[in-house]
């Protein structure tokens, strides 16, 4: 997630009609008229939407982030993978090429150079956890396996697999909260003993809010967190919400087990539960660290972002608790 200061600076350029001169500058690379884009949200990137009926290409989402911020590099990496996957007819949102024929543009603006990409709106149903049954959870797991298959191999795994957020776990090992510090150390120790598993080109955030459903076909978008990773790490990132329900009753069947069954059925890979717990804890550590970086600037957050800062801090507290719970499950 970008820092609140960056989000506040962008918000300051947005007028009462949700237009921004920065977005206009970026949109020009896609031949969009000034004033046609409307601010949608800012989090991992700034997102502006081209409403229905404005352009013959349909509803477009233009996403951009500062080239000087890691968010810009992640956006470019995800857009490049998205283009490759579309060329393979994978179930991902359609990237829109710029006037210059590029999927990713670097655009100088009054707010600095931006890395930008555009995608078509994905039609379909949006589900949350309350909308799932075991059949849909199975299809969700099958869809992630399909993504891994389409993305292709990422190389052989080593004898052990450290979580993607190992550095965040290491930092939390010195946290002022002794429960969090002890949990982080427990998880890092457990990660060193994990059995070898396959490495994939993962989505990194195959959660329900990044998916649209067309009957049983699942189409994904927002590939900013994509890249080589253990398959179990991608499963852990995707299922974080249903994992949290399962963690309170690990012996129960239900959505997580159905997801894992769907993934195994389609990929041939059985996800080890202990490895899943380790990687879910790593996701929690990464989420908590990302929030701390986003809201950790000196002084209070900008007044119009105080509510967002509060919600993020609540999320950070929940993820820190997930880390503690996961450590307890690891024994």
């Amino acid at each position: 997630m970008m820092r609140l200061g960056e989000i506040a600076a962008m918000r300051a350029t947005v007028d009462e009609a949700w237009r921004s001169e920065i977005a206009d500058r970026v949109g020009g690379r896609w031949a969009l008229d000034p004033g046609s884009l409307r601010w949608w949200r800012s989090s991992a990137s700034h997102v502006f939407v081209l409403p229905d009926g404005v352009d013959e290409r349909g509803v477009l989402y233009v996403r951009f982030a500062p080239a000087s911020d890691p968010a810009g590099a992640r956006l470019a990496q995800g857009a490049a993978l998205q283009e490759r996957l579309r060329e393979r007819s994978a179930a991902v949102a359609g990237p829109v090429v710029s006037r210059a024929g590029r999927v990713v543009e670097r655009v100088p603006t009054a707010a600095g150079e931006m890395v930008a990409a555009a995608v078509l709106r994905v039609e379909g149903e949006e589900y949350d956890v309350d909308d799932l049954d075991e059949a849909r959870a199975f299809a969700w797991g099958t869809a992630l396996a399909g993504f891994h298959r389409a993305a292709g191999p990422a190389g052989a795994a080593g004898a052990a697999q450290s979580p993607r957020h190992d550095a965040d776990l290491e930092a939390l090992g010195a946290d002022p909260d002794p429960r969090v510090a002890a949990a982080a150390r427990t998880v890092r120790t457990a990660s060193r003993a994990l059995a070898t598993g396959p490495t994939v080109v993962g989505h990194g955030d195959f959660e329900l809010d990044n998916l649209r459903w067309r009957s049983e076909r699942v189409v994904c978008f927002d590939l900013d967190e994509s890249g080589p990773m253990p398959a179990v790490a991608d499963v852990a990132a995707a299922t974080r919400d249903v994992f949290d329900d399962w963690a309170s009753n690990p012996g129960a069947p239900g959505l997580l087990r159905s997801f894992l069954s769907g993934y195994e059925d389609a990929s041939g890979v059985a996800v080890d539960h202990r490895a899943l717990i380790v990687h879910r804890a790593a996701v929690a550590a990464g989420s908590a660290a990302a929030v701390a970086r986003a809201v950790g600037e000196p002084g209070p957050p900008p007044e119009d972002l105080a509510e967002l800062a509060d919600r993020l801090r609540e999320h950070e507290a929940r993820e820190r608790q997930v880390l503690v719970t996961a450590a307890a499950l690891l024994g």
Side-chain angles (χ1 to χ4, degrees):
M1 179 170 182
M2 294 180 297
R3 295 183 183 275
L4 289 190
E6 166 63 28
I7 294 174
M10 179 56 60
R11 286 277 294 269
T13 74
V14 175
D15 66 18
E16 294 180 356
W18 307 110
R19 299 169 301 193
S20 166
E21 61 181 9
I22 308 301
D24 289 345
R25 178 75 171 171
V26 172
R29 294 296 180 94
W30 279 267
L32 300 178
D33 293 335
S36 60
L37 287 169
R38 299 292 190 273
W39 182 71
W40 185 258
R41 69 171 185 268
S42 294
S43 54
S45 62
H46 303 299
V47 185
F48 284 74
V49 62
L50 183 75
D52 195 14
V54 175
D55 189 279
E56 63 182 10
R57 289 169 289 188
V59 177
L60 305 182
Y61 290 93
V62 175
R63 305 173 62 239
F64 55 94
S68 60
D69 190 288
R74 289 194 296 267
L75 192 156
Q77 174 179 282
L81 175 60
Q82 190 170 340
E83 181 182 26
R84 294 197 300 273
L85 288 171
R86 286 293 290 185
E87 290 171 349
R88 300 170 187 174
S89 300
V92 298
V96 180
V97 297
S98 68
R99 291 186 301 178
R102 292 187 286 263
V103 169
V104 177
E105 288 279 0
R106 295 176 74 96
V107 187
T109 76
E113 187 176 49
M114 297 291 175
V115 177
V119 296
L120 291 169
R121 179 175 65 184
V122 177
E123 304 294 344
E125 296 294 326
E126 180 180 2
Y127 297 139
D128 60 25
V129 172
D130 293 337
D131 298 316
L132 293 184
D133 55 21
E134 292 185 17
R136 281 183 182 156
F138 186 95
W140 180 20
T142 299
L144 181 59
F147 181 95
H148 291 167
R149 186 166 54 251
Q161 296 178 351
S162 295
R164 294 185 83 198
H165 300 289
D166 188 66
D168 296 321
L169 283 167
E170 182 177 13
L172 285 171
D175 193 84
D177 185 332
R179 294 170 63 247
V180 172
R185 292 193 294 269
T186 294
V187 172
R188 286 198 80 217
T189 298
S191 74
R192 299 189 185 105
L194 288 180
T196 300
T199 299
V200 299
V201 176
H203 182 285
D205 197 14
F206 206 77
E207 285 194 294
L208 293 169
D209 57 0
N210 286 330
L211 309 176
R212 294 294 181 269
W213 298 64
R214 302 172 181 170
S215 185
E216 293 304 308
R217 179 175 169 83
V218 181
V219 182
C220 68
F221 46 90
D222 284 4
L223 276 64
D224 294 9
E225 301 300 323
S226 63
M229 65 187 73
V232 64
D234 210 18
V235 170
T239 60
R240 65 190 74 182
D241 291 336
V242 294
F243 173 92
D244 296 347
D245 290 337
W246 173 85
S248 63
N249 187 11
L255 300 180
L256 178 61
R257 291 184 183 275
S258 295
F259 180 102
L260 297 178
S261 294
Y263 184 79
E264 180 178 2
D265 186 69
S267 68
V269 175
V271 173
D272 176 77
H273 278 195
R274 186 174 182 84
L276 182 64
I277 293 168
V278 167
H279 284 281
R280 174 63 185 101
V283 169
S287 294
V291 170
R293 288 189 290 268
V295 303
E297 298 172 330
E303 184 176 348
D304 62 340
L305 294 181
E307 184 178 345
L308 173 60
D310 288 344
R311 292 201 305 270
L312 289 172
R313 286 297 191 192
E314 290 171 2
H315 176 71
E316 179 187 14
R318 287 194 299 271
E319 292 297 272
R320 287 163 65 89
Q321 181 57 51
V322 167
L323 177 61
V324 172
T325 300
L329 290 173
L330 292 171

